């Protein structure tokens, strides 16, 4: 399984706030991975005075297939329903 490494140059963030920012980055990224249906083996955040980094190990190569069903509103003109349906797919 592949790994993901994110690194941000963060010169504008004060050095005393970097550790908290790294943990916040870890929480935000891992929460979004779980919300997208992706599992991971582990995540570790790193902080230096000018950089934030996050290493996520064990991300699957492919996201599982998801089936969704969408229905258009019945009270709208057919052309409007098609427009709304096409916007929902984009």
């Amino acid at each position: 399984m592949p790994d993901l490494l994110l690194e941000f140059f963060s010169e504008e963030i004060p050095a005393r706030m970097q550790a908290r920012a790294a943990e916040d980055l870890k929480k935000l990224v891992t929460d979004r991975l779980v919300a997208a249906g992706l599992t991971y083996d582990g995540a570790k955040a790193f902080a230096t005075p000018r950089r934030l980094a996050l290493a996520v190990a064990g991300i699957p190569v492919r996201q599982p297939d998801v089936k969704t069903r969408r229905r258009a509103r019945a009270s709208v003109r057919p052309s409007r329903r098609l427009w709304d349906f096409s916007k929902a797919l984009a």
Side-chain angles (χ1 to χ4, degrees):
M1 292 196 171
D3 295 337
L4 171 69
L5 175 66
L6 295 173
E7 183 179 10
F8 295 101
F9 184 66
S10 56
E11 184 176 347
E12 299 298 322
I13 299 175
R16 69 180 184 279
M17 300 174 84
Q18 291 288 70
R20 174 66 190 261
E23 291 304 316
D24 289 344
L25 175 66
K26 178 182 172 184
K27 181 176 180 348
L28 289 171
V29 171
T30 56
D31 288 350
R32 294 290 293 190
L33 286 172
V34 170
L38 295 172
T39 58
Y40 59 93
D41 293 338
K44 185 165 181 169
F46 304 95
T48 67
R50 292 181 183 236
R51 285 184 169 67
L52 294 175
L54 176 67
V56 184
I59 296 176
V61 175
R62 185 169 179 226
Q63 182 177 7
D65 293 336
V66 177
K67 282 188 172 184
T68 58
R69 183 175 177 171
R70 296 189 184 259
R71 296 186 60 158
R73 298 181 305 211
S75 63
V76 184
R77 298 184 316 256
S79 61
R80 177 65 184 196
R81 277 188 272 164
L82 282 172
W83 176 256
D84 289 344
F85 182 71
S86 66
K87 281 179 40 181
L89 293 178

